[in-house]
Amino acid sequence: MEKQSRKGLIDSSSPLGKLEGAGGIYIHIPFCKQACHYCDFHFSTSLKKKDELVNALVKEIELRKSEFKSTTVETIYFGGGTPSLLTNEELQFLIDSVYNNYKVSKNPEITLEANPDDLSKDRIIELSKSKINRLSIGIQSFFEADLKLMNRAHNATEAKACLEEATKYFNNISLDLIYGIPGASNEQWLQNIDMALGFGVPHISSYALTVEPKTALDSFIKKGVIEDVDDEQAHEQFHLLKEKLEASGFIHYELSNFGKEGFFSKNNSAYWQGKSYLGIGPSAHSFNGKQRGWNVRNNTKYIKALEANKLPIEIETLTQTDQYNEYIMTGLRTIWGVSIQKVENDFGIVFKDYLIEQAEIFINQQLLYIEDKHIRVTKKGQFLSDGIASELFKINLTC
C-alpha cells in the first residue's frame, strides 16, 4: 500500500480522525525578538500579526476538538519561537480555549518555553499564579561569548537572574544547554553544567550545536567567520554531560534529556512513546499513530485559512513500514528501548525477525544490547543512536 497524502486547505471536519486514550496538545508560537544563528524553526521577528495569530490559534483549537473527542489531554506545551513573548492574558486565553473544547486531566502538565530576558521577577510571579506549572528556559550557555556567537537575545547575567527567581516560584523547571559550540573548551562546558546544577533544577535538556542548511551559522562557517563544529569534541562533551548529571542524581531517560525521578517531561515522553498529539499553529505537527499532519509554514497563510474556517494542513497516512521505522527511531532514543514483543504484536514476525537480525550487527559492536526482551543502546552507542536506528529501518516493503 502506498502512502496517501492530503494537502492544502481542509474543511473543519476532523483531518486526522478521532483519537482515543490520552494525548497532548502542542501550541506553536512563531515569534522571536531576533533570529538565533543556528535556528531553522519557523518564526517571525515581526509581532505585527500577533493578535491575529492568537485568534487563529484559538480557532484551530476549536475546529479540531472532534479529533480528541474520546481523548483526555494530559499535557499542553507552548513551544516556538518564543512563547514568552505572549502576554499572560494571551497565554490564558489559549489555555482557556483548550479547557473549553477538550477533556483535560485533573493535573495536566502545562509547559511554557521561555527566554531569560522575558522572565523578570514580576513576570515569573504572574506566571506562577496561572495554570502553567512547568517552565522550559532557553539558557543555552552561561558564557557571554557563546551567547553572542549564537545571537541569543539574552545575556549571561539575565540567564542567572531569571533562574534565581524562577526557582523560588516553580519546582518544575527545565533548562536548555547547548554543547559543541566552536571555541568552547571541555573545561568551560563543565563549568556550564556546574552552574546549571547550582540552581537545583530537576530537568536539563541538552543538544549538540547543529549546523542546519541556510542558517546564519551555516553561512558564517562557510565564510570562515566562525570555525566549524568539531564533532569529536561534541561527542566528548556529551559524555562529560552524561557522567556529571548521572552523578548528581539525574536519569538519562532520552538522548537529549535528563530528569530527576518524577520530573521527566510528560509532553516529550508522550512523543517518544508514540502517544497521540495535536499540533496547533503554523508549522506544528500532529500524530495519531497511523497518520501524521503538519500545518503550513507561513503565518499569513495560516491566519487567512483559519479566518475562513479552513485548516491549512497536509496529512500523510503512514504505511506499516513507516510506523515500524518511527517506533524504532523514537524507542532507541529512550531508556525504555524497543520492545521485541511489541514489534511482533504490532507489525508481525517478519519485522521482528528483521529487527533481531539487524540488531545483531550492533550487539556484536557493543552498541546495542538485549535485556527483558527490549533492545537498548549501550553507553558507547548512545551518541550514535539515531544512526543506529536508521540501520534498523525496514525499507522496500509494499505493506
Side-chain angles (χ1 to χ4, degrees):
M1 182 175 65
E2 295 182 354
K3 293 183 183 179
Q4 296 179 351
S5 177
R6 288 189 292 159
K7 64 189 299 185
L9 299 181
I10 297 175
D11 63 28
S12 57
S13 60
S14 304
L16 261 68
K18 295 178 182 179
L19 312 174
E20 296 183 356
I25 293 181
Y26 170 85
I27 303 176
H28 187 76
I29 308 301
F31 300 111
C32 288
K33 289 179 182 177
Q34 62 192 50
C36 297
H37 288 160
Y38 57 86
C39 183
D40 70 341
F41 290 168
H42 171 65
F43 66 91
S44 170
T45 53
S46 170
L47 300 181
K48 290 180 181 179
K49 295 185 178 181
K50 183 159 73 85
D51 292 346
E52 297 169 81
L53 193 285
V54 171
N55 288 329
L57 292 172
V58 169
K59 178 62 71 67
E60 186 182 3
I61 288 170
E62 294 170 350
L63 291 180
R64 300 186 68 182
K65 63 183 178 182
S66 60
E67 295 175 52
F68 264 33
K69 188 175 182 179
S70 302
T71 301
T72 300
V73 175
E74 293 186 334
T75 63
I76 302 171
Y77 191 100
F78 290 95
T82 310
S84 53
L85 285 177
L86 295 192
T87 65
N88 286 8
E89 291 73 22
E90 289 166 335
L91 291 168
Q92 190 59 53
F93 183 33
L94 291 167
I95 293 171
D96 289 343
S97 297
V98 173
Y99 272 80
N100 291 337
N101 290 281
Y102 298 77
K103 180 183 177 182
V104 181
S105 66
K106 185 176 180 181
N107 295 302
E109 177 189 86
I110 304 181
T111 302
L112 175 71
E113 286 186 355
N115 277 358
D117 46 305
D118 294 325
L119 293 179
S120 65
K121 179 178 180 178
D122 289 343
R123 182 77 195 279
I124 291 168
I125 292 173
E126 289 178 13
L127 287 170
S128 71
K129 296 175 182 177
S130 73
K131 283 187 167 66
I132 293 167
N133 50 32
R134 184 174 184 270
L135 294 180
S136 177
I137 305 176
I139 299 294
Q140 315 309 357
S141 176
F142 291 99
F143 289 88
E144 209 65 58
D146 295 344
L147 297 173
K148 288 180 179 178
L149 181 147
M150 293 184 285
N151 200 39
R152 295 291 295 170
H154 69 278
N155 58 43
T157 299
E158 289 170 324
K160 297 171 186 176
C162 85
L163 283 171
E164 287 176 1
E165 291 301 325
T167 50
K168 296 176 184 177
Y169 299 93
F170 285 85
N171 66 354
N172 196 351
I173 295 176
S174 176
L175 61 82
D176 289 354
L177 292 176
I178 290 180
Y179 57 88
I181 300 172
S185 66
N186 289 353
E187 182 181 354
Q188 181 177 310
W189 175 234
L190 287 171
Q191 291 178 46
N192 253 326
I193 301 169
D194 283 336
M195 278 187 267
L197 291 173
F199 289 99
V201 297
H203 191 281
I204 292 175
S205 296
S206 192
Y207 310 89
L209 183 65
T210 304
V211 184
E212 300 292 350
K214 300 181 180 179
T215 58
L217 179 62
D218 182 38
S219 175
F220 292 149
I221 289 174
K222 287 177 178 176
K223 293 176 181 177
V225 176
I226 297 175
E227 62 182 287
D228 202 353
V229 172
D230 185 334
D231 290 336
E232 185 176 336
Q233 185 178 53
H235 195 172
E236 290 176 8
Q237 292 182 355
F238 168 80
H239 285 292
L240 289 172
L241 172 76
K242 177 180 173 64
E243 291 170 9
K244 190 83 171 177
L245 292 187
E246 288 184 338
S248 299
F250 284 78
I251 300 168
H252 189 198
Y253 69 102
E254 193 273 340
L255 180 63
S256 302
N257 288 271
F258 300 78
K260 293 286 185 71
E261 190 71 51
F263 287 95
F264 295 179
S265 168
K266 293 179 181 178
N267 175 81
N268 293 347
S269 294
Y271 291 163
W272 303 317
Q273 293 176 334
K275 293 184 179 180
S276 301
Y277 55 89
L278 286 184
I280 304 295
S283 81
H285 285 233
S286 303
F287 178 71
N288 69 0
K290 295 185 177 180
Q291 292 175 306
R292 186 186 294 109
W294 53 95
N295 289 343
V296 65
R297 191 181 169 102
N298 182 289
N299 290 359
T300 300
K301 290 180 180 179
Y302 174 82
I303 291 168
K304 287 183 176 180
L306 269 301
E307 287 176 344
N309 290 325
K310 301 289 184 179
L311 296 170
I313 187 171
E314 183 172 353
I315 297 167
E316 175 185 70
T317 298
L318 303 177
T319 65
Q320 187 182 41
T321 302
D322 293 330
Q323 294 173 49
Y324 164 84
N325 290 345
E326 185 134 347
Y327 175 59
I328 297 300
M329 175 61 77
T330 55
L332 275 192
R333 291 179 62 96
T334 72
I335 59 172
W336 304 290
V338 172
S339 167
I340 296 172
Q341 190 62 57
K342 176 178 171 60
V343 170
E344 181 174 358
N345 292 345
D346 293 358
F347 307 107
I349 192 73
V350 172
F351 283 85
K352 186 200 80 168
D353 289 346
Y354 176 83
L355 170 62
I356 293 174
E357 180 183 348
Q358 294 299 108
E360 193 68 32
I361 300 169
F362 298 99
I363 291 172
N364 292 336
Q365 297 173 14
Q366 297 183 323
L367 299 174
L368 294 178
Y369 68 99
I370 296 178
E371 183 179 72
D372 300 327
K373 296 184 179 180
H374 283 73
I375 297 175
R376 299 182 175 93
V377 292
T378 64
K379 179 180 178 180
K380 179 181 175 183
Q382 279 181 321
F383 193 73
L384 308 171
S385 62
D386 286 349
I388 295 170
S390 67
E391 295 298 320
L392 303 184
F393 286 174
K394 197 87 168 87
I395 58 176
N396 297 327
L397 285 185
T398 57
C399 59

